[in-house]
Amino acid sequence: MTKQPNNNCLLLTIIKSKKKFSKNLYDHLFFIIFIFLLPLTSIYAQNNTNISGEYSSIPLKDVITHIESQTNYKFYFLEEWTQGIKVIKTFNNEELSSVLETILEDTSLNFHILNTNRIILLENGLVYDELPKGFFGPEEASEEKNSTRITNNSPPPVFYNTDNPSKKTYQVTKIGKSDLDNLRETYLLTGRAINSSTGNPIQDLAIRTKGSNLITVTDANGNYSLELPAGHNVLSIRAMGIASTEREIIMFNNGNLDLLMEEGLQQLDEVVVEADAFKNVEEAITGSEQIDSEESKNIPLVLGERDILSVAKALPGISSAGEGAMGLNVRGGKTDQNLVLLDDAVIYNPQHFFGIFQALNPFTTKGVDIYKGAIPVEFGGRLSSVFDIRTKNGNEEKLSGEGSVGPVTANLALEIPLEKEKSSLIVGGRAAYADWILRSLDEESLNNSNASFFDGIIKYHNKVNEKNDVKATAYYSRDAFSITSDSLYKYNNRLFSLRWNHNINDKTNTALILNNSNYGFGIDFDGETNTDFNLDYGINETEIKYKLRTSLNTKNTLDYGASAKYYSVNPGSIEPDGNESDIAPRSIDNEQAVEGALFIGDELTLNEKLSVNLGVRYAFFAALGKATQRTYEDGMPKNESTVQDTISYSSGENIKTYGGPEVRLSARYLFTPDFSVKASLNNSYQFLHTLSNNTTVSPIDTWKLSDLNIAPQKGYQASLGFYKNFKENEYELSIEGYYKKMEDVLDFKTGANLFLNENVETQVLQGDGKAYGVEFLLKKKSGDLNGWLSYTYSRSLYRFDSEFSEERINNGDFFPSNFDKPHDVSVITNYRFTRRYSISANFVYQTGRPITYPIGTFRFNNADFVAFSDRNKFRIPDFYRLDLGLNIEGNHKKNKLAHSFVTISVYNVLGRNNPYSVFFVTDDGEVKALQSSIFSIPIPSITYNFKF
């Protein structure tokens, strides 16, 4: 200390804690004794000594010296406590105690003024004149097991590790500083976990309090919060690929502790599933999946491409209409019922080349969270699912990169540090040279076709300070293909997102998000006749969202906020290409709308076994002018003969509003630490629709906003599931059932003309849908042999009923959707021989999807016609495919320019001629069925990956 007081009084500096001592903590320092020979009484000074001074970034030690020069008081403290603390303040004849409170307000220091002109500074703690009531608990507490009574004769505890004395012990960290007005039994610890090697946040880091069941897991940004008892705590910190560690902390008040973690490759087997087990069994969320981009590394996929969306299709409840089909069908929903987000912005078409490749760079993509049951309250606008795709943060320490070269594409990603340990840039690009694929397909008409695509992404990340974090992402992709020699099809995605994360205090984190998304397609036709044209379509949306997360206490965490979105749709336009074209120019009026939502949810822990997530979201939608809308006779079909009026709306005028509450309810009951049951119930609105009369989704499908004549879709889903882990969480088992009901889903009338139709409501129908199923997943997450088996039994049915035949399909009965495939089996396995060599396999079996067959011909007015069956009454043959792969890693020497990884794979090893579609032609009055296939032969590939 700077000065030594006279010893004439006994004072105790006590760490205030209601937490009982255990026998293992006997050797820990629980309080520090200051002995001073002072008068028998001491008080917080009510001294009238006043202080004046102007301090402009003056070190605290110098300020204390200046105060001593103005008063008769002497300060006692350790100089190291004041290092780095500067004072910026002006005082004009203010009381000493007020001055000290001001200059120490934002520090970890407290003060105690004695009536003997002495001032004691303390780090974190307080000086008490007497022991607080009940400090030692009731008298009988001293006799309880595992308790220790501290007396004046007790030796002071010391720090050492009783379990392993040789184990490295970290310095004790003090959190917050004691406050007489805020003495509580528990305090909130918050912080962020960072990988010390890469600077990236660490997700799913499990933080557990030793000796209790208190546990938390870091989120996607590495943030965590945990309510801890006042006083001494030991934290056990673990995650896959991170060196396990322990931290000793003393909680004086709410505070922050950031965790700089080291990688620990040798401990993977010990911690590989701990965080995942927590999410699978203990979280009150049904129907959620998480895929890390690295998971696709050892799965043999078409032409050696890493693809998290293809991995998603191997999970229960997620499929597509068929090989080469764009879009995903989740729990019997249409492809337009999935909200796909890339860093908070909507990506309307996340796939290249008819769905064969994803439109995401695998080396910039961190992973995806999939919600198909209990959807978080902040998301809305779709009925079936949310795919929340996240991009990596760049390396803030050094320049690094990753790339691959394959038979079809080349990928490259660079991570560029801008300011060490603070800001970075990640840039990724992909390009394809895929023309040879079209030439290899079993389809003669495609021999002269060509195709290409590319995508690029750039992300900026800046850790401004401890409380502020900024991220910005820009993305663009483009596809161009010519299926015939006279038509060029092209489509593109463009998006931008900006996110500002801000910690208001120890309990509340906020995020302000601004994003813009655009999707468009076009057709350039250049034929032999004078009908050349250029056709375009586009949809654009801009959204702003503000969300907050507040930890009220150990049992309640609130998520709440608001969002607003603006849509602008170009329904289509066609222009003649060249002066000799006979095509007349035509365009459809733009559509505009706004969509908003208010939401609030509570993660409520009722007790150790029962946890509930309860949320309410109010969704609002308004279609806006400038527009022209028809009205039709009530109860009559919408056609030209039932038009009552045509209404013109001026720019910005409200055409029609929709909306209502969306309930999000899920609960988990924990029978044992590794076995739980979960249930959920939710409803949602969808104000956008896709218009398509193709059997499967295509890149030229158009999006349509709800308006005066087309109502939003509505969905209701209930689910129930059982989750069990085995053999120390090495095996993960889940069985979940669901039932979904839908209203006002869209389908098309027979022979509908949807594109460039000003009155598209006359070509579509709105009806009911239902889907139900059972999903089974068995996953082995560690060991030389790992992978999973998934099985889904599901049905997806629709009904369009009316008293008018033109609005009725299949006599008003439920019929299978185009993507109804009752049985779906996927097996993913990977076996590692050594650290460098492994083999992998992927097997898929699916029921053939429904199709409408011609069942006969008839002649009318000297013309031949074909009679078709009920819609989707028959099915194409079942689908199955086996893929094999060999993975070879380069040696693991540290001092290498780059580390390599080679994948040798064979797609469709069995050469199964799986039908993509069945179509019919009439030849000499006879109807013949023809089948087209994608990859009907084994497709070998070699992909070289490198990382530096």
Side-chain angles (χ1 to χ4, degrees):
M1 290 189 177
T2 58
K3 297 180 176 64
Q4 297 295 332
N6 294 325
N7 295 330
N8 57 9
C9 181
L10 175 65
L11 293 176
L12 295 180
T13 299
I14 300 171
I15 298 172
K16 180 69 170 60
S17 174
K18 297 293 185 180
K19 183 176 181 182
K20 296 185 182 296
F21 295 121
S22 70
K23 63 180 180 179
N24 290 332
L25 295 179
Y26 167 71
D27 49 1
H28 288 253
L29 182 59
F30 218 117
F31 60 82
I32 304 171
I33 300 178
F34 286 96
I35 299 178
F36 305 105
L37 294 178
L38 300 171
L40 293 178
T41 60
S42 64
I43 61 173
Y44 287 101
Q46 303 296 325
N47 195 286
N48 293 324
T49 301
N50 293 342
I51 303 298
S52 296
E54 183 175 348
Y55 308 116
S56 177
S57 192
I58 304 300
L60 176 60
K61 181 183 176 183
D62 295 342
V63 174
I64 291 173
T65 301
H66 185 252
I67 293 175
E68 287 181 331
S69 70
Q70 297 185 59
T71 68
N72 293 325
Y73 282 92
K74 300 300 179 183
F75 286 77
Y76 297 85
F77 58 93
L78 293 178
E79 291 186 15
E80 62 190 56
W81 295 350
T82 65
Q83 292 179 357
I85 301 176
K86 295 187 177 181
V87 178
I88 305 175
K89 195 69 178 178
T90 300
F91 301 101
N92 185 16
N93 199 32
E94 297 187 23
E95 290 188 1
L96 174 61
S97 59
S98 175
V99 171
L100 293 177
E101 288 176 356
T102 300
I103 65 177
L104 300 179
E105 180 179 7
D106 295 326
T107 73
S108 62
L109 301 178
N110 279 316
F111 68 94
H112 188 82
I113 303 178
L114 305 176
N115 64 349
T116 54
N117 294 336
R118 290 173 171 82
I119 300 176
I120 309 299
L121 298 187
L122 304 105
E123 189 177 39
N124 304 100
L126 283 173
V127 170
Y128 292 83
D129 300 298
E130 59 183 16
L131 293 178
K133 291 183 179 181
F135 176 78
F136 291 116
E139 187 67 25
E140 61 272 18
S142 62
E143 300 177 1
E144 293 179 1
K145 186 178 180 180
N146 295 335
S147 67
T148 303
R149 180 70 177 266
I150 305 297
T151 68
N152 288 338
N153 296 324
S154 301
V158 295
F159 285 98
Y160 66 89
N161 192 305
T162 56
D163 298 327
N164 183 4
S166 64
K167 183 178 179 180
K168 180 180 179 181
T169 302
Y170 290 87
Q171 181 180 359
V172 177
T173 302
K174 301 174 184 178
I175 305 297
K177 68 177 181 179
S178 296
D179 183 355
L180 283 174
D181 297 326
N182 187 34
L183 295 179
R184 294 160 35 193
E185 293 187 358
T186 62
Y187 294 108
L188 185 68
L189 179 68
T190 60
R192 194 162 183 252
I194 301 295
N195 187 312
S196 61
S197 299
T198 65
N200 293 328
I202 302 174
Q203 185 178 2
D204 295 333
L205 185 75
I207 305 171
R208 186 188 303 273
T209 308
K210 296 190 71 173
S212 76
N213 59 355
L214 298 176
I215 187 171
T216 189
V217 174
T218 55
D219 62 17
N221 297 313
N223 296 316
Y224 74 91
S225 62
L226 184 62
E227 195 93 9
L228 294 173
H232 182 266
N233 295 269
V234 179
L235 302 181
S236 175
I237 306 167
R238 295 182 170 221
M240 181 175 65
I242 299 298
S244 300
T245 187
E246 292 182 358
R247 297 292 297 268
E248 295 187 74
I249 63 172
I250 301 176
M251 297 297 296
F252 291 90
N253 208 323
N254 299 331
N256 183 273
L257 177 63
D258 289 335
L259 303 172
L260 196 63
M261 306 298 295
E262 298 178 355
E263 294 181 353
L265 299 179
Q266 299 302 318
Q267 301 185 27
L268 283 176
D269 290 340
E270 298 178 10
V271 300
V272 66
V273 296
E274 180 168 345
D276 288 340
F278 176 80
K279 296 178 73 66
N280 176 58
V281 176
E282 296 188 12
E283 283 192 342
I285 296 178
T286 64
S288 66
E289 304 285 353
Q290 187 177 76
I291 303 174
D292 191 283
S293 183
E294 287 293 312
E295 286 193 37
S296 61
K297 178 179 178 180
N298 294 324
I299 298 177
L301 299 172
V302 60
L303 299 168
E305 275 283 307
R306 296 191 197 179
D307 189 336
I308 60 174
L309 297 182
S310 292
V311 175
K313 288 190 288 187
L315 295 171
I318 305 174
S319 63
S320 66
E323 193 172 42
M326 302 185 73
L328 297 173
N329 303 108
V330 178
R331 289 191 168 179
K334 292 188 172 183
T335 56
D336 67 347
Q337 294 176 352
N338 305 310
L339 179 64
V340 183
L341 301 172
L342 177 60
D343 286 352
D344 302 306
V346 174
I347 177 169
Y348 278 89
N349 192 345
Q351 294 175 307
H352 286 307
F353 198 43
F354 310 104
I356 295 176
F357 305 108
Q358 69 175 14
L360 306 167
N361 191 311
F363 303 123
T364 62
T365 302
K366 181 179 180 181
V368 56
D369 290 323
I370 304 172
Y371 304 98
K372 53 185 178 172
I375 296 176
V377 70
E378 70 172 282
F379 299 121
R382 301 294 191 274
L383 299 191
S384 290
S385 71
V386 176
F387 286 71
D388 189 12
I389 303 169
R390 305 174 308 280
T391 303
K392 297 177 182 177
N393 293 329
N395 193 327
E396 297 161 354
E397 300 291 331
K398 61 181 180 180
L399 178 68
S400 59
E402 194 169 2
S404 70
V405 178
V408 176
T409 63
N411 305 328
L412 180 65
L414 294 176
E415 299 182 37
I416 307 168
L418 301 179
E419 186 174 351
K420 191 172 183 179
E421 298 182 356
K422 184 174 182 180
S423 63
S424 64
L425 204 65
I426 185 168
V427 181
R430 302 169 70 213
Y433 28 88
D435 292 352
W436 71 270
I437 300 179
L438 286 171
R439 293 192 294 269
S440 68
L441 299 181
D442 186 18
E443 183 63 49
E444 184 178 352
S445 62
L446 302 180
N447 289 343
N448 296 322
S449 301
N450 59 79
S452 64
F453 61 79
F454 71 87
D455 58 69
I457 187 170
I458 181 170
K459 180 180 181 181
Y460 170 76
H461 176 225
N462 188 347
K463 293 183 289 188
V464 180
N465 51 42
E466 292 183 356
K467 291 192 172 184
N468 295 279
D469 183 271
V470 176
K471 300 177 182 180
T473 301
Y475 168 87
Y476 182 78
S477 71
R478 185 178 187 275
D479 282 62
F481 55 91
S482 178
I483 301 302
T484 62
S485 59
D486 54 15
S487 297
L488 176 66
Y489 295 80
K490 53 189 178 182
Y491 63 93
N492 65 80
N493 294 276
R494 186 189 72 237
L495 64 82
F496 171 80
S497 70
L498 177 65
R499 182 185 181 114
W500 172 32
N501 296 316
H502 174 62
N503 296 336
I504 295 179
N505 52 44
D506 294 336
K507 290 191 173 184
T508 301
N509 300 323
T510 70
L512 178 63
I513 301 167
L514 177 66
N515 60 71
N516 174 266
S517 300
N518 186 88
Y519 174 70
F521 71 80
I523 303 174
D524 295 341
F525 180 79
D526 184 8
E528 297 180 355
T529 60
N530 295 332
T531 55
D532 300 344
F533 63 85
N534 297 320
L535 184 147
D536 289 294
Y537 167 87
I539 180 171
N540 185 282
E541 67 169 67
T542 301
E543 180 186 37
I544 184 170
K545 178 191 289 188
Y546 186 63
K547 62 178 184 176
L548 304 93
R549 183 176 178 88
T550 298
S551 297
L552 298 179
N553 48 51
T554 55
K555 293 186 176 181
N556 291 271
T557 300
L558 293 181
D559 290 285
Y560 52 103
S563 65
K565 185 178 292 189
Y566 170 74
Y567 294 101
S568 177
V569 178
N570 169 20
S573 63
I574 188 170
E575 297 287 341
D577 186 10
N579 296 329
E580 297 181 357
S581 176
D582 296 331
I583 297 296
R586 186 182 180 189
S587 63
I588 308 298
D589 291 340
N590 283 2
E591 299 178 23
Q592 298 180 88
V594 292
E595 179 183 339
L598 298 172
F599 55 88
I600 182 169
D602 186 10
E603 295 180 10
L604 176 61
T605 302
L606 299 176
N607 53 52
E608 292 183 359
K609 292 184 177 294
L610 183 59
S611 178
V612 176
N613 279 12
L614 175 63
V616 178
R617 173 187 176 91
Y618 188 88
F620 171 84
F621 178 88
L624 305 176
K626 186 178 182 180
T628 300
Q629 296 276 287
R630 285 177 169 182
T631 61
Y632 299 86
E633 296 179 34
D634 291 338
M636 298 296 291
K638 293 181 177 66
N639 55 43
E640 298 296 329
S641 64
T642 61
V643 175
Q644 276 191 325
D645 195 8
T646 300
I647 305 174
S648 296
Y649 296 89
S650 59
S651 179
E653 184 179 357
N654 181 39
I655 298 174
K656 180 73 173 179
T657 60
Y658 298 98
E662 299 177 342
V663 176
R664 308 290 167 82
L665 174 63
S666 61
R668 178 269 295 158
Y669 185 82
L670 202 63
F671 291 103
T672 65
D674 57 5
F675 177 48
S676 67
V677 59
K678 304 180 189 180
S680 69
L681 180 67
N682 64 75
N683 73 294
S684 54
Y685 290 84
Q686 179 169 330
F687 305 105
L688 281 81
H689 321 263
T690 53
L691 301 177
S692 174
N693 53 9
N694 295 313
T695 302
T696 60
V697 65
S698 82
I700 59 173
D701 290 343
T702 60
W703 289 82
K704 175 75 175 70
L705 300 174
S706 296
D707 57 20
L708 188 64
N709 294 296
I710 297 181
Q713 303 176 60
K714 295 179 283 292
Y716 311 85
Q717 183 180 185
S719 61
L720 176 68
F722 296 88
Y723 304 81
K724 172 69 176 175
N725 289 357
F726 300 91
K727 200 177 178 181
E728 297 182 350
N729 297 324
E730 182 178 354
Y731 292 89
E732 183 180 295
L733 173 66
S734 64
I735 301 174
E736 187 169 329
Y738 66 89
Y739 182 86
K740 183 189 298 184
K741 179 183 177 182
M742 294 165 281
E743 298 176 0
D744 291 320
V745 292
L746 254 66
D747 208 326
F748 59 92
K749 295 180 180 179
T750 302
N753 177 23
L754 300 177
F755 194 66
L756 291 177
N757 191 324
E758 295 180 348
N759 304 300
V760 73
E761 67 272 9
T762 64
Q763 305 296 305
V764 300
L765 302 174
Q766 290 195 272
D768 301 325
K770 64 179 180 180
Y772 54 88
V774 177
E775 301 169 355
F776 171 89
L777 177 66
L778 176 62
K779 183 179 292 188
K780 187 176 186 295
K781 305 203 66 175
S782 62
D784 292 334
L785 176 65
N786 56 76
W788 70 81
L789 163 67
S790 74
Y791 168 73
T792 304
Y793 173 79
S794 64
R795 297 306 309 271
S796 175
L797 308 169
Y798 289 93
R799 179 178 62 187
F800 297 88
D801 194 12
S802 171
E803 59 181 298
F804 304 100
S805 60
E806 65 179 274
E807 294 188 329
R808 190 167 58 240
I809 299 177
N810 288 10
N811 297 317
D813 297 328
F814 277 103
F815 64 92
S817 67
N818 293 334
F819 41 87
D820 175 70
K821 295 185 289 186
H823 301 284
D824 189 334
V825 179
S826 292
V827 182
I828 302 289
T829 60
N830 182 72
Y831 183 79
R832 181 172 292 277
F833 296 102
T834 67
R835 294 183 63 188
R836 294 182 56 193
Y837 296 92
S838 65
I839 59 172
S840 53
N842 175 26
F843 176 78
V844 182
Y845 168 82
Q846 295 173 343
T847 305
R849 63 179 178 82
I851 192 172
T852 304
Y853 276 5
I855 56 176
T857 61
F858 64 92
R859 190 171 183 83
F860 180 75
N861 287 339
N862 296 322
D864 292 326
F865 295 90
V866 176
F868 286 87
S869 67
D870 287 344
R871 187 176 295 187
N872 293 346
K873 184 176 181 179
F874 299 95
R875 293 182 180 272
I876 63 177
D878 291 352
F879 177 98
Y880 63 84
R881 191 189 73 242
L882 174 65
D883 312 320
L884 296 176
L886 172 64
N887 309 300
I888 305 171
E889 295 190 36
N891 64 61
H892 296 100
K893 293 181 179 179
K894 291 184 177 181
N895 299 322
K896 293 181 63 177
L897 178 63
H899 294 267
S900 61
F901 180 90
V902 176
T903 299
I904 303 173
S905 64
V906 180
Y907 184 85
N908 193 15
V909 170
L910 303 177
R912 166 72 171 172
N913 188 16
N914 290 300
Y916 168 69
S917 66
V918 176
F919 56 96
F920 304 90
V921 298
T922 302
D923 186 10
D924 294 331
E926 182 181 359
V927 178
K928 295 182 179 180
L930 301 178
Q931 170 183 306
S932 63
S933 301
I934 305 294
F935 302 124
S936 58
I937 60 174
I939 305 294
S941 65
I942 299 178
T943 303
Y944 175 75
N945 302 269
F946 57 91
K947 186 176 184 179
F948 60 90

